[in-house]
Amino acid sequence: MISPSFFTDKLASHGIRFFTGVPDSLLKPLCAWLKANVPPENNVIAANEGGAMALATGHFLATRDPACVYMQNSGIGNSVNPLLSLLDADVYNIPVLLVIGWRGMPGFHDEPQHVKQGRVTPALLDAMEIPYIILSDVESIASEQLDAAITYIRETGRQMAVIVRKNTFSPFKASDDHALPYPCREDAIKKIVEAIDPSTAIVSTTGMISRELFELRETRDEGHGSDFLTVGSMGHASQIALGIALDNKRRRVACLDGDGAFLMHLGGTAIIGNRRPENLIHFVINNGAHDSVGGQDTVALEIDIPAIALACGYKTACRIDSLNEINDSIKAAEKSSGPHLIEIRVRKGARHDLGRPTTTPLENRDAFIHFLQEKH
């Protein structure tokens, strides 16, 4: 394994001191190191990977130094447009060192949403004509690789990717943040499920929220047909819920969103407000963190999410920070036309034995379609 400090020191020796991106579980030690040792102005956790590319462009224009952009390979899709239409050699020729966690690497078990992404990651980079290295976990070899990669981007003004396999970085754990005085997310989800009308179709976002919803249904022996678990496609659960709500107006639809996902494609909030689905309740379960990939901060606890929703056209929006308020908030929303937004502030973390869905995505899809077709 290589240490995060070795990696950042190597980049600093070549003048790369600005980092931006979206955290990834395979890059968790690196992201923790950056949070603990790099000033916040030099490590910006972006709303999405495309935004990180734009931040890197701005940094280069201001300093003439390349930036390091980190992401999970699932985030390549968000970065394609700026990579090809902004940073490319045929446009503005902006050098960037990409650091990409290789989820779904062939030959290693991973969750369904990562399998194809892992298989095609090198091919995607080839198609964009972005050269790459697979980072060695031996520091002497990695040092030579990084020297060559950074020399390349500085001399050509282009981008180069560093693909990071599992366990490439040695563990690093930052000091724990002070626990916020909010309930845990799993208890909040339980209260939502208990309070909401059983005929409601639920769309849950990727990460811990879908995992905790699945286990709650297992514990309650309720089946999973009423829940669509968006196990990938971060940031798009609210638009899936909107699509259902617009075409199934007699059924109430609830979206269980996370703060990182909500921020990633914030424009979806404006579309919901504009289309005004009366049967949609949009929950934003906000712990101010990318919890499923290491707990790195988002800005969601520092912004007024209900005010954003109201400005976008939601009929009602509120913030609650205790379990006792969840039932009354849901009942009030169910008595009036929406769209409604309910922000629930929770603390970071999940129980260590939290499992993953045991049904396949196709099984989930088919059961959910059947549920939507049932009369209620």
Side-chain angles (χ1 to χ4, degrees), residues 238-239 242 262 265-277 282 308-314 339:
S238 69
Q239 300 307 284
L242 174 61
F262 177 78
H265 295 296
L266 188 57
T269 308
I271 304 303
I272 292 173
N274 177 264
R275 302 315 301 169
R276 296 181 177 85
H282 188 179
I308 292 170
L310 292 172
C312 287
Y314 283 57

Side-chain angles (χ1 to χ4, degrees), residues 30-182:
L30 175 62
C31 291
W33 171 264
L34 293 174
K35 179 180 178 180
N37 294 279
V38 174
E41 61 270 22
N42 289 337
N43 178 37
V44 180
I45 297 178
N48 59 59
E49 295 82 359
M53 293 301 171
L55 278 160
T57 298
H59 173 74
F60 177 77
L61 294 175
T63 66
R64 302 289 295 174
D65 285 324
C68 173
V69 175
Y70 50 85
M71 68 180 75
Q72 186 179 105
N73 53 349
S74 61
I76 293 174
N78 283 335
S79 66
V80 169
N81 178 267
L83 277 170
L84 298 185
S85 68
L86 176 66
L87 288 81
D88 190 77
D90 290 333
V91 193
Y92 289 107
N93 206 37
I94 306 295
V96 168
L97 187 71
L98 306 172
V99 178
I100 301 172
W102 199 357
R103 293 296 303 269
M105 179 181 171
F108 294 85
H109 173 74
D110 212 327
E111 300 306 308
Q113 67 269 27
H114 295 297
V115 173
K116 186 162 188 180
Q117 186 75 56
R119 187 167 68 246
V120 304
T121 290
L124 284 173
L125 295 170
D126 287 337
M128 290 189 288
E129 300 175 357
I130 296 176
Y132 62 87
I133 59 170
I134 299 173
L135 188 63
S136 173
D137 58 3
V138 178
E139 289 192 354
S140 60
I141 299 174
S143 179
E144 295 176 358
Q145 289 178 312
L146 293 171
D147 285 337
I150 299 170
T151 298
Y152 170 82
I153 66 172
R154 279 201 172 274
E155 290 182 351
T156 65
R158 301 190 178 191
Q159 307 86 47
M160 189 161 185
V162 177
I163 298 177
V164 179
R165 298 165 296 178
K166 187 177 181 179
N167 296 327
T168 294
F169 285 109
S170 59
F172 177 84
K173 184 174 176 61
S175 58
D176 291 334
D177 297 325
H178 180 68
L180 296 172
Y182 301 134

